[in-house]
Amino acid sequence: MLDLIIIGAGTAGMTSALYALRSGKSVLILEKENVGGQIAFSPRVENFPSIMQISGSDFSNNLFEQVTELGAEFELEEVLKIEKENNIFKVTTDYNEYTSKAVVIATGAKHRHINVPGEEELIGNGVSYCAVCDGAFYKGEEVALIGDANTALQYSILLSNYCKKVYVLTLFDRFFGEYNLVETLKKKENVEIHHNLNLKQFIGKDKLEGLVFENTQTKEEFRLNVNAVFIAIGQVPDNKAFTNLVDLDKNGYVIADENLETKTPGLFVAGDCRVKKIRQLTTAVSDGATTAINAVSYIDKNF
């Protein structure tokens, strides 16, 4: 039996592993897709304290090497369910069953994709889902922003501060964000707003070269030649497998207390999959440390 099972090998999950391992606990990390989570797709990271610049993949790989060197076990398996019986957790994957004294859910949240031709191939090569992470790399250039709610508005305003021009494109005929954000955006001289546009295609092979839209009212084609587009149409958590032991908010994010413990004692949550306002690399690290310290305390008190 393990001390701690961590579900998810993103920054939050691996930081949790780091702190638990340094406390002398045995740790298994279960990941269904890729090590590093969303940050692994970012070409450059320049907002992490003490690191001037690093690629997202290098950051993730370094963290993975750090925790495996300390003794973390790792399996590429999808967790199907978590059960708790007699104070012990049983984690069932698509291949195995594991038991542990505590569990950390760190499955993250994926940016919602538009799912049109060319999108997946150009992620990290002109297609981004985080203006805070990648916007500064396009200083002085013309960029596009697709979205109509608060995040899209905030990203557009941020981009307008250092980009030559920002094209804001929405599917409907209006914005759905806060009034003050909309008014602030409209006052930006280097922002051009286009409504009623449905994205049909990303143009480019090795890097983004442009976008093709269809006007939802006139059915006319609208082309935009840009080398960068930021997509802000929401995020999607995947926490349905844990609903027997955790509470979710209306958007599917895990609810936890200030110690990041769920309604089930010994079951913690970290990172983008939980209810929180800010989802950044640094806050993922903070969550990971918090869950590990509290999970270690839980284990020491109960076993």
Side-chain angles (χ1 to χ4, degrees), residues 38 74 83 87 125 144 160 168 182 215 244 268-269 274-275:
Q38 292 293 320
F74 175 82
E83 299 168 287
N87 217 32
N125 292 295
S160 71
V168 181
V182 174
N215 188 293
N244 59 316
F268 299 84
V269 62
R274 77 176 183 92
V275 175

Side-chain angles (χ1 to χ4, degrees), residues 112-120 129 199-200 202 231 233:
R112 192 184 301 277
H113 291 197
I114 297 180
N115 297 319
V116 301
E119 181 176 14
E120 299 299 319
Y129 302 86
L199 183 65
K200 305 299 288 186
F202 293 84
I231 301 170
I233 57 173

Side-chain angles (χ1 to χ4, degrees), residues 85-201:
E85 187 175 344
N86 297 324
N87 217 32
I88 300 297
F89 289 94
K90 182 173 74 172
V91 178
T92 303
T93 74
D94 47 358
Y95 290 103
N96 294 294
E97 288 184 353
Y98 304 95
T99 56
S100 65
K101 300 171 185 175
V103 172
V104 172
I105 299 171
T107 49
K110 292 184 176 181
H111 294 286
R112 192 184 301 277
H113 291 197
I114 297 180
N115 297 319
V116 301
E119 181 176 14
E120 299 299 319
E121 294 82 358
L122 293 171
I123 294 175
N125 292 295
V127 174
S128 174
Y129 302 86
C130 181
V132 177
C133 310
D134 303 328
F137 304 136
Y138 298 96
K139 183 178 180 179
E141 299 185 31
E142 294 190 355
V143 303
L145 185 290
I146 299 174
D148 55 25
N150 281 339
T151 298
L153 292 164
Q154 290 166 346
Y155 279 3
S156 301
I157 294 167
L158 174 67
L159 291 167
S160 71
N161 292 330
Y162 41 74
C163 292
K164 180 180 179 181
K165 191 164 189 177
V166 181
Y167 295 93
V168 181
L169 311 119
T170 75
L171 179 61
F172 301 103
D173 61 353
R174 66 180 72 90
F175 289 108
F176 295 91
E178 297 174 8
Y179 173 81
N180 288 341
L181 289 175
V182 174
E183 291 305 302
T184 298
L185 184 65
K186 287 180 178 179
K187 292 176 183 177
K188 294 283 186 175
E189 295 183 357
N190 62 334
V191 171
E192 188 173 310
I193 299 170
H194 295 269
H195 293 302
N196 301 310
L197 292 177
N198 184 25
L199 183 65
K200 305 299 288 186
Q201 182 183 356

Side-chain angles (χ1 to χ4, degrees), residues 257-268:
D257 62 18
E258 64 179 10
N259 295 318
L260 303 191
E261 189 172 32
T262 68
K263 70 175 184 179
T264 301
L267 180 57
F268 299 84

